[in-house]
Amino acid sequence: MHEREHDSRIGGACMRCHVETRPALYKCFMCFQLPPLCEQCVKDAHKHAPFHDIQVWRNNCFSRITLASIGFVVNLGHDGDPCPHGAAKSTSKYTVLHEGGIHEVQALRCFCPVREEKGRDAMTLWRSDLFPATFLRPQTAMTSGVLRGFHLLTLTTKVTASGFCTYLRRRTSYWSKDDSKDRAREFFMAFRMFCFLLQLKRHAQSPPSLDGELRAGSLAIFCAACPQPGINMTPGWESRPREKQ
Ligand SMILES: [Zn+2]
Ligand SMILES: [Zn+2]
Ligand SMILES: [Zn+2]
């Protein structure tokens, strides 16, 4: 077990920037073969993996910390770069449910001018692969990975949504689920909404609010075994007595 954690480069010069005054005290075991890095380089290395758990070498052992605790800011939109219109704007706090646990993150939203302001925060989140728990002023979001992962689990195991949320909380803090926020209610809502929107997409339907009411049966799956006139029914079936049709 110690072989995995042992690294003689810990405490030496950073392996990326090679600045002597920046000791390499941070290591991410979720990144594959990432060397020990200094604080700034570990933040730079996680621009596209902002929900990883980081370990810091303190008091002769590794301790788990979050990227947010060392000042990491998630930039929404612009492929992870800060919004050019958001330089003077403050960041917002979000709770994110990720396959690796539940994270509190500071995020800088996109402030670029757009025509449609309604639901803008929610759409900015979703374009960054974070499904909002609500479309009005969202403060909690789930990665598409955690939603798809749970969907597959519901098809292959007997795990419940509340059991899955407890797992995510224990995944965040191994010893106690109470160290992270309970976001089960938000997860239930978001998962149902996500599944409904997925159904709409697969059946090429618009959300009801955009296109009036959904037609009856528009989300039904075609059943090849059911009687289909002209396909698997004997010609002249209409003229037969009802009990023999
Ligand atoms: Zn460095
Ligand atoms: Zn990482
Ligand atoms: Zn922007």
Side-chain angles (χ1 to χ4, degrees), residues 28-32 34 45-46 49 52-54:
C28 177
F29 290 100
M30 292 174 86
C31 281
F32 187 63
L34 189 73
H46 285 85
H52 281 186
D53 287 333
I54 307 300

Side-chain angles (χ1 to χ4, degrees), residues 14-19 22 37-42:
C14 173
M15 300 300 296
R16 184 171 284 194
C17 64
H18 304 290
V19 178
R22 292 184 180 179
L37 298 174
C38 69
E39 184 178 306
Q40 187 55 49
C41 289
V42 84

Side-chain angles (χ1 to χ4, degrees), residues 56-237:
V56 61
W57 186 258
R58 250 185 227 145
N59 302 325
N60 290 328
C61 66
F62 276 118
S63 309
R64 177 188 171 273
I65 58 164
T66 61
L67 281 164
S69 69
I70 53 172
F72 182 82
V73 173
V74 177
N75 295 303
L76 299 175
H78 304 279
D79 300 326
D81 292 324
C83 174
H85 294 91
K89 304 283 197 307
S90 59
T91 56
S92 309
K93 195 173 173 185
Y94 291 97
T95 303
V96 174
L97 278 72
H98 172 258
E99 296 99 310
I102 299 173
H103 299 263
E104 301 294 318
V105 298
Q106 291 290 340
L108 182 68
R109 292 184 286 125
C110 173
F111 292 92
C112 291
V114 290
R115 269 185 297 148
E116 184 61 76
E117 277 293 327
K118 196 177 170 190
R120 175 186 174 152
D121 288 355
M123 289 314 295
T124 306
L125 283 169
W126 186 225
R127 288 191 188 112
S128 308
D129 199 38
L130 295 171
F131 193 82
T134 170
F135 286 93
L136 292 174
R137 296 185 296 281
Q139 293 182 326
T140 301
M142 344 272 143
T143 60
S144 65
V146 84
L147 292 167
R148 286 181 184 279
F150 177 64
H151 184 247
L152 195 56
L153 282 171
T154 62
L155 301 177
T156 53
T157 70
K158 293 178 180 173
V159 69
T160 61
S162 91
F164 183 69
C165 288
T166 305
Y167 156 77
L168 285 180
R169 293 175 77 187
R170 288 288 304 273
R171 184 82 171 74
T172 314
S173 171
Y174 189 85
W175 302 110
S176 169
K177 69 181 174 63
D178 297 327
D179 290 349
S180 55
K181 287 184 177 173
D182 180 7
R183 284 290 178 264
R185 187 179 59 121
E186 288 79 358
F187 182 76
F188 299 161
M189 289 293 296
F191 182 67
R192 291 185 65 174
M193 202 151 43
F194 178 76
C195 289
F196 177 62
L197 292 173
L198 208 57
Q199 282 272 67
L200 290 174
K201 187 187 121 180
R202 286 178 179 162
H203 290 84
Q205 301 289 325
S206 301
S209 59
L210 298 181
D211 203 18
E213 290 290 306
L214 277 179
R215 277 184 300 105
S218 55
L219 298 185
I221 295 170
F222 176 75
C223 176
C226 278
Q228 310 289 340
I231 297 176
N232 57 0
M233 293 182 72
T234 327
W237 61 274

